[in-house]
């Protein structure tokens, strides 16, 4: 099940790496919610934040793997990442 010696491994584009970096930032924001949780309700709130984030990440990961990336699609992906980043910045921290 290995790759043939003459095949080049599939590379990762800069836009995919940037999207992964944004996702890591989102996860750190959710981690802050969990770290400052004081009870079961705070953990439930963190889970309710994590579920749509994970669903969005899975959708965009599927999209970037199954759609040919043209310059128009790059603009759509950058706009999606901007929305993702804005959502991460809007996650409230619990004190």
């Amino acid at each position: 099940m290995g790759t043939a010696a003459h095949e080049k491994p599939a590379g990762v584009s800069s836009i995919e790496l940037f999207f992964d970096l944004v996702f890591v930032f989102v996860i750190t924001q959710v981690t802050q919610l969990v770290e400052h949780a004081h009870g079961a309700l705070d953990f439930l709130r963190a889970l309710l934040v994590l579920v749509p984030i994970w669903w969005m990440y899975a959708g965009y990961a599927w999209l970037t793997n199954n759609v040919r990336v043209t310059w128009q699609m790059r603009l759509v992906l950058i706009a999606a990442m901007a929305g993702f980043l804005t959502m991460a910045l809007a996650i409230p921290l619990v004190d």
Side-chain angles (χ1 to χ4, degrees):
M1 295 272 166
T3 60
H6 65 278
E7 291 182 21
K8 289 185 179 180
V12 178
S13 70
S14 299
I15 199 154
E16 290 170 323
L17 290 175
F18 183 64
F19 183 70
D20 289 340
L21 183 63
V22 169
F23 180 72
V24 167
F25 176 70
V26 172
I27 293 300
T28 60
Q29 292 293 93
V30 174
T31 302
Q32 289 291 319
L33 282 178
V34 172
E35 181 183 8
H36 296 288
H38 297 293
L41 194 58
D42 291 335
F43 284 109
L44 180 62
R45 187 169 81 179
L47 180 67
L48 289 175
V49 170
L50 180 62
V51 167
I53 289 170
W54 190 262
W55 176 72
M56 287 173 60
Y57 177 77
Y60 287 118
W62 174 86
L63 181 68
T64 57
N65 286 329
N66 292 308
V67 175
R68 194 173 131 238
V69 180
T70 61
W71 68 272
Q72 295 98 339
M73 183 54 78
R74 285 184 188 269
L75 291 177
V76 169
L77 291 173
I78 289 171
M81 283 184 272
F84 218 27
L85 185 61
T86 303
M87 181 180 64
L89 292 171
I91 295 174
L93 295 180
V94 180
D95 288 324

